[in-house]
PDB file of all heavy atoms in Angstrom:
ATOM      1  N   ALA A  27     -47.167 -49.171  -1.072  1.00 31.00           N
ATOM      2  CA  ALA A  27     -46.090 -48.641  -1.896  1.00 31.00           C
ATOM      3  C   ALA A  27     -46.226 -49.226  -3.413  1.00 31.00           C
ATOM      4  O   ALA A  27     -45.885 -48.642  -4.354  1.00 31.00           O
ATOM      5  CB  ALA A  27     -44.707 -48.913  -1.270  1.00 31.00           C
ATOM      6  N   THR A  28     -46.717 -50.404  -3.473  1.00 28.00           N
ATOM      7  CA  THR A  28     -46.805 -51.145  -4.742  1.00 28.00           C
ATOM      8  C   THR A  28     -47.704 -50.317  -5.635  1.00 28.00           C
ATOM      9  O   THR A  28     -47.424 -50.151  -6.705  1.00 28.00           O
ATOM     10  CB  THR A  28     -47.453 -52.518  -4.433  1.00 28.00           C
ATOM     11  OG1 THR A  28     -46.529 -53.246  -3.617  1.00 28.00           O
ATOM     12  CG2 THR A  28     -47.573 -53.178  -5.793  1.00 28.00           C
ATOM     13  N   ALA A  29     -48.684 -49.615  -5.101  1.00 29.00           N
ATOM     14  CA  ALA A  29     -49.557 -48.988  -5.834  1.00 29.00           C
ATOM     15  C   ALA A  29     -49.052 -47.774  -6.526  1.00 29.00           C
ATOM     16  O   ALA A  29     -49.329 -47.495  -7.657  1.00 29.00           O
ATOM     17  CB  ALA A  29     -50.777 -48.498  -5.045  1.00 29.00           C
ATOM     18  N   SER A  30     -47.973 -47.214  -5.829  1.00 30.00           N
ATOM     19  CA  SER A  30     -47.445 -45.967  -6.395  1.00 30.00           C
ATOM     20  C   SER A  30     -46.187 -46.166  -7.198  1.00 30.00           C
ATOM     21  O   SER A  30     -45.636 -45.196  -7.800  1.00 30.00           O
ATOM     22  CB  SER A  30     -47.155 -45.000  -5.172  1.00 30.00           C
ATOM     23  OG  SER A  30     -46.198 -45.504  -4.440  1.00 30.00           O
ATOM     24  N   ALA A  31     -45.572 -47.410  -7.093  1.00 30.00           N
ATOM     25  CA  ALA A  31     -44.352 -47.564  -7.673  1.00 30.00           C
ATOM     26  C   ALA A  31     -44.519 -47.865  -9.159  1.00 30.00           C
ATOM     27  O   ALA A  31     -45.413 -48.478  -9.641  1.00 30.00           O
ATOM     28  CB  ALA A  31     -43.620 -48.746  -7.103  1.00 30.00           C
ATOM     29  N   PRO A  32     -43.732 -47.257  -9.872  1.00 30.00           N
ATOM     30  CA  PRO A  32     -43.788 -47.328 -11.326  1.00 30.00           C
ATOM     31  C   PRO A  32     -43.202 -48.748 -11.664  1.00 30.00           C
ATOM     32  O   PRO A  32     -42.212 -49.238 -11.248  1.00 30.00           O
ATOM     33  CB  PRO A  32     -42.884 -46.317 -11.840  1.00 30.00           C
ATOM     34  CG  PRO A  32     -41.800 -46.106 -10.758  1.00 30.00           C
ATOM     35  CD  PRO A  32     -42.510 -46.442  -9.432  1.00 30.00           C
ATOM     36  N   ALA A  33     -43.927 -49.347 -12.696  1.00 29.00           N
ATOM     37  CA  ALA A  33     -43.455 -50.647 -13.061  1.00 29.00           C
ATOM     38  C   ALA A  33     -42.550 -50.499 -14.286  1.00 29.00           C
ATOM     39  O   ALA A  33     -42.863 -49.629 -15.268  1.00 29.00           O
ATOM     40  CB  ALA A  33     -44.622 -51.557 -13.450  1.00 29.00           C
ATOM     41  N   LEU A  34     -41.510 -51.139 -14.264  1.00 30.00           N
ATOM     42  CA  LEU A  34     -40.599 -51.082 -15.463  1.00 30.00           C
ATOM     43  C   LEU A  34     -41.042 -51.984 -16.492  1.00 30.00           C
ATOM     44  O   LEU A  34     -40.756 -51.832 -17.669  1.00 30.00           O
ATOM     45  CB  LEU A  34     -39.174 -51.376 -15.027  1.00 30.00           C
ATOM     46  CG  LEU A  34     -38.591 -50.296 -14.100  1.00 30.00           C
ATOM     47  CD1 LEU A  34     -37.114 -50.610 -13.956  1.00 30.00           C
ATOM     48  CD2 LEU A  34     -38.740 -48.939 -14.744  1.00 30.00           C
ATOM     49  N   ASP A  35     -41.710 -53.068 -16.048  1.00 30.00           N
ATOM     50  CA  ASP A  35     -42.176 -54.019 -17.008  1.00 30.00           C
ATOM     51  C   ASP A  35     -43.255 -54.844 -16.265  1.00 30.00           C
ATOM     52  O   ASP A  35     -43.523 -54.664 -15.108  1.00 30.00           O
ATOM     53  CB  ASP A  35     -41.109 -54.784 -17.544  1.00 30.00           C
ATOM     54  CG  ASP A  35     -40.470 -55.671 -16.535  1.00 30.00           C
ATOM     55  OD1 ASP A  35     -41.187 -56.282 -15.597  1.00 30.00           O
ATOM     56  OD2 ASP A  35     -39.283 -55.807 -16.488  1.00 30.00           O
ATOM     57  N   ALA A  36     -43.919 -55.629 -16.916  1.00 29.00           N
ATOM     58  CA  ALA A  36     -45.042 -56.353 -16.435  1.00 29.00           C
ATOM     59  C   ALA A  36     -44.851 -57.134 -15.313  1.00 29.00           C
ATOM     60  O   ALA A  36     -45.679 -57.551 -14.500  1.00 29.00           O
ATOM     61  CB  ALA A  36     -45.813 -57.117 -17.641  1.00 29.00           C
ATOM     62  N   THR A  37     -43.562 -57.629 -15.211  1.00 29.00           N
ATOM     63  CA  THR A  37     -43.216 -58.525 -14.106  1.00 29.00           C
ATOM     64  C   THR A  37     -42.600 -57.871 -12.983  1.00 29.00           C
ATOM     65  O   THR A  37     -42.158 -58.490 -12.075  1.00 29.00           O
ATOM     66  CB  THR A  37     -42.238 -59.599 -14.679  1.00 29.00           C
ATOM     67  OG1 THR A  37     -41.084 -58.874 -15.148  1.00 29.00           O
ATOM     68  CG2 THR A  37     -42.879 -60.358 -15.736  1.00 29.00           C
ATOM     69  N   SER A  38     -42.636 -56.581 -13.024  1.00 29.00           N
ATOM     70  CA  SER A  38     -41.923 -55.883 -11.861  1.00 29.00           C
ATOM     71  C   SER A  38     -42.578 -56.105 -10.544  1.00 29.00           C
ATOM     72  O   SER A  38     -43.841 -56.167 -10.492  1.00 29.00           O
ATOM     73  CB  SER A  38     -41.600 -54.486 -12.174  1.00 29.00           C
ATOM     74  OG  SER A  38     -42.813 -53.823 -11.920  1.00 29.00           O
ATOM     75  N   GLU A  39     -41.721 -56.216  -9.557  1.00 28.00           N
ATOM     76  CA  GLU A  39     -42.218 -56.325  -8.242  1.00 28.00           C
ATOM     77  C   GLU A  39     -41.778 -55.255  -7.359  1.00 28.00           C
ATOM     78  O   GLU A  39     -40.648 -55.132  -6.918  1.00 28.00           O
ATOM     79  CB  GLU A  39     -41.706 -57.664  -7.659  1.00 28.00           C
ATOM     80  CG  GLU A  39     -42.167 -57.843  -6.238  1.00 28.00           C
ATOM     81  CD  GLU A  39     -41.400 -58.832  -5.537  1.00 28.00           C
ATOM     82  OE1 GLU A  39     -40.317 -59.343  -6.121  1.00 28.00           O
ATOM     83  OE2 GLU A  39     -41.777 -59.143  -4.425  1.00 28.00           O
ATOM     84  N   PRO A  40     -42.742 -54.281  -7.100  1.00 27.00           N
ATOM     85  CA  PRO A  40     -42.289 -53.266  -6.216  1.00 27.00           C
ATOM     86  C   PRO A  40     -41.983 -53.848  -4.885  1.00 27.00           C
ATOM     87  O   PRO A  40     -42.721 -54.633  -4.364  1.00 27.00           O
ATOM     88  CB  PRO A  40     -43.606 -52.404  -6.057  1.00 27.00           C
ATOM     89  CG  PRO A  40     -44.300 -52.750  -7.313  1.00 27.00           C
ATOM     90  CD  PRO A  40     -43.996 -54.079  -7.632  1.00 27.00           C
ATOM     91  N   ASP A  41     -40.898 -53.537  -4.248  1.00 26.00           N
ATOM     92  CA  ASP A  41     -40.446 -54.120  -2.987  1.00 26.00           C
ATOM     93  C   ASP A  41     -40.096 -52.905  -2.149  1.00 26.00           C
ATOM     94  O   ASP A  41     -38.989 -52.456  -2.123  1.00 26.00           O
ATOM     95  CB  ASP A  41     -39.365 -55.022  -3.171  1.00 26.00           C
ATOM     96  CG  ASP A  41     -39.072 -55.740  -1.939  1.00 26.00           C
ATOM     97  OD1 ASP A  41     -39.704 -55.542  -1.039  1.00 26.00           O
ATOM     98  OD2 ASP A  41     -37.967 -56.374  -1.830  1.00 26.00           O
ATOM     99  N   ILE A  42     -41.048 -52.484  -1.357  1.00 25.00           N
ATOM    100  CA  ILE A  42     -40.819 -51.168  -0.792  1.00 25.00           C
ATOM    101  C   ILE A  42     -41.385 -51.222   0.622  1.00 25.00           C
ATOM    102  O   ILE A  42     -42.226 -51.884   0.952  1.00 25.00           O
ATOM    103  CB  ILE A  42     -41.449 -50.174  -1.519  1.00 25.00           C
ATOM    104  CG1 ILE A  42     -41.339 -50.527  -2.969  1.00 25.00           C
ATOM    105  CG2 ILE A  42     -40.895 -48.842  -1.194  1.00 25.00           C
ATOM    106  CD1 ILE A  42     -42.268 -49.901  -3.677  1.00 25.00           C
ATOM    107  N   GLU A  43     -40.983 -50.325   1.352  1.00 25.00           N
ATOM    108  CA  GLU A  43     -41.585 -49.971   2.593  1.00 25.00           C
ATOM    109  C   GLU A  43     -41.048 -48.650   2.967  1.00 25.00           C
ATOM    110  O   GLU A  43     -40.289 -47.980   2.330  1.00 25.00           O
ATOM    111  CB  GLU A  43     -41.250 -51.027   3.598  1.00 25.00           C
ATOM    112  CG  GLU A  43     -39.804 -51.001   3.905  1.00 25.00           C
ATOM    113  CD  GLU A  43     -39.191 -52.090   3.086  1.00 25.00           C
ATOM    114  OE1 GLU A  43     -39.865 -53.063   2.725  1.00 25.00           O
ATOM    115  OE2 GLU A  43     -38.057 -51.961   2.878  1.00 25.00           O
ATOM    116  N   ALA A  44     -41.580 -48.247   4.084  1.00 26.00           N
ATOM    117  CA  ALA A  44     -41.150 -47.049   4.775  1.00 26.00           C
ATOM    118  C   ALA A  44     -41.586 -45.860   3.978  1.00 26.00           C
ATOM    119  O   ALA A  44     -42.305 -45.936   2.981  1.00 26.00           O
ATOM    120  CB  ALA A  44     -39.641 -47.021   4.773  1.00 26.00           C
ATOM    121  N   ASP A  45     -41.212 -44.760   4.560  1.00 27.00           N
ATOM    122  CA  ASP A  45     -41.686 -43.538   3.911  1.00 27.00           C
ATOM    123  C   ASP A  45     -40.979 -43.001   2.657  1.00 27.00           C
ATOM    124  O   ASP A  45     -39.838 -43.582   2.478  1.00 27.00           O
ATOM    125  CB  ASP A  45     -41.617 -42.526   4.992  1.00 27.00           C
ATOM    126  CG  ASP A  45     -40.180 -42.380   5.536  1.00 27.00           C
ATOM    127  OD1 ASP A  45     -39.457 -43.327   5.140  1.00 27.00           O
ATOM    128  OD2 ASP A  45     -39.868 -41.431   6.129  1.00 27.00           O
ATOM    129  N   LEU A  46     -41.578 -42.160   2.000  1.00 27.00           N
ATOM    130  CA  LEU A  46     -41.017 -41.720   0.841  1.00 27.00           C
ATOM    131  C   LEU A  46     -40.659 -40.303   0.972  1.00 27.00           C
ATOM    132  O   LEU A  46     -41.482 -39.472   1.423  1.00 27.00           O
ATOM    133  CB  LEU A  46     -42.026 -41.911  -0.339  1.00 27.00           C
ATOM    134  CG  LEU A  46     -41.818 -40.964  -1.588  1.00 27.00           C
ATOM    135  CD1 LEU A  46     -40.435 -41.285  -2.111  1.00 27.00           C
ATOM    136  CD2 LEU A  46     -42.828 -41.334  -2.468  1.00 27.00           C
TER     137      LEU A  46
END
Side-chain angles (χ1 to χ4, degrees):
T28 298
S30 63
L34 292 185
D35 63 44
T37 57
S38 78
E39 175 195 9
D41 183 9
I42 322 157
E43 64 266 334
D45 53 349
L46 159 60

